[in-house]
Amino acid sequence: DTAVSQTPKYLVTQMGNDKSIKCEQNLGHDTMYWYKQDSKKFLKIMFSYNNKELIINETVPNRFSPKSPDKAHLNLHINSLELGDSAVYFCASSQQPRTGWERGNYGYTFGSGTRLTVV
Amino acid sequence: QKEVEQNSGPLSVPEGAIASLNCTYSDRGSQSFFWYRQYSGKSPELIMSIYSNGDKEDGRFTAQLNKASQYVSLLIRDSQPSDSATYLCAVNNPADRGSTLGRLYFGRGTQLTVWP
């Protein structure tokens, strides 16, 4: 039973197209994230939602638009794809601590990733 | 931008050796520290979390935390070729407020190769 499932796993598309990636978690977590991982393995945060509310929106082109219909789902739509968008996109979820000092199982659970190739 | 620095690697060790992976962080108030392992073509997987100064052991893995030096490390004893992966350090920031409290800040990872 997959905890964080992400589809599709691979996406090859032409420049200028619009595509979507979907993510679902069954862990009951409050918070979901989108990360972009470049070829050098750096994980760069893009967006985060907490209970359907957008809480983190890093400097990302507005061609990228996240949507969270409920706290278990977070989708990413990308318009007018460019070559530089080629990367692996990871969805993740986590439980929300009540304070910054609270200890517990607050690490992220990642989805399997979507390898996007723009040609 | 919170800084989380990892030794750049790649790190190459023979089978059976101890692999030592290091991470320093810039925010003195950080309280939660995580190590993730990422195999090539796979997603990051949480392998250790640590919150208190000292050592935490789990099988062949030991996480070491020194908050005064703002340093967290991961030791892998009796390294196996199956340990070959990229290891990511992640740290929280308690200055984050409200709903962003759970955010983690990642280092760039250290690639480990264990050769037979």
Side-chain angles (χ1 to χ4, degrees):
Chain A
D1 203 19
T2 306
V4 182
S5 59
Q6 199 176 324
T7 55
K9 192 165 172 61
Y10 300 98
L11 193 48
V12 181
T13 188
Q14 290 188 324
M15 274 196 306
N17 283 350
D18 304 339
K19 290 293 178 188
S20 292
I21 307 171
K22 297 189 175 189
C23 181
E24 176 181 359
Q25 56 98 1
N26 63 6
L27 297 166
H29 286 167
D30 302 327
T31 308
M32 297 184 73
Y33 306 84
W34 279 114
Y35 277 81
K36 179 180 181 180
Q37 189 172 49
D38 59 27
S39 57
K40 295 188 179 177
K41 296 285 194 176
F42 181 54
L43 277 167
K44 184 175 163 60
I45 193 167
M46 301 174 69
F47 302 104
S48 177
Y49 273 75
N50 177 264
N51 282 318
K52 302 193 295 178
E53 179 191 351
L54 180 66
I55 57 170
I56 295 173
N57 184 352
E58 292 287 292
T59 307
V60 176
N62 56 17
R63 298 182 294 104
F64 290 79
S65 52
K67 275 202 174 60
S68 180
D70 55 61
K71 78 171 194 175
H73 294 85
L74 179 61
N75 304 322
L76 183 65
H77 188 76
I78 316 170
N79 288 327
S80 303
L81 277 154
E82 299 178 358
L83 292 176
D85 298 331
S86 296
V88 181
Y89 292 83
F90 285 105
C91 174
S93 72
S94 71
Q95 194 56 280
Q96 188 72 356
R98 287 167 294 181
T99 70
W101 292 267
E102 186 174 4
R103 300 174 179 187
N105 188 18
Y106 299 118
Y108 292 178
T109 301
F110 284 88
S112 56
T114 296
R115 182 173 294 277
L116 172 65
T117 304
V118 183
V119 297
Chain B
Q1 177 69 34
K2 302 303 168 186
E3 296 289 331
V4 180
E5 301 283 344
Q6 295 186 241
N7 42 350
S8 54
L11 180 65
S12 182
V13 301
E15 185 173 355
I18 296 175
S20 177
L21 303 158
N22 303 319
C23 175
T24 59
Y25 57 95
S26 62
D27 194 323
R28 186 169 288 278
S30 294
Q31 297 288 327
S32 303
F33 306 87
F34 303 89
W35 282 100
Y36 285 82
R37 177 178 61 201
Q38 186 176 21
Y39 291 117
S40 180
K42 301 293 185 183
S43 59
E45 170 197 11
L46 180 64
I47 55 171
M48 289 286 280
S49 59
I50 187 166
Y51 306 97
S52 302
N53 279 328
D55 295 359
K56 178 181 177 183
E57 192 173 311
D58 183 0
R60 295 184 297 109
F61 296 94
T62 299
Q64 298 177 316
L65 176 61
N66 183 326
K67 290 183 183 176
S69 301
Q70 294 174 235
Y71 176 96
V72 57
S73 65
L74 180 70
L75 300 179
I76 307 175
R77 289 185 304 282
D78 188 24
S79 294
Q80 301 296 310
S82 59
D83 295 325
S84 299
T86 296
Y87 289 81
L88 299 162
C89 172
V91 175
N92 84 323
N93 174 22
D96 283 335
R97 289 285 177 260
S99 51
T100 62
L101 270 174
R103 177 178 177 174
L104 297 180
Y105 297 81
F106 286 86
R108 289 183 173 267
T110 300
Q111 186 179 338
L112 171 68
T113 300
V114 181
W115 44 275

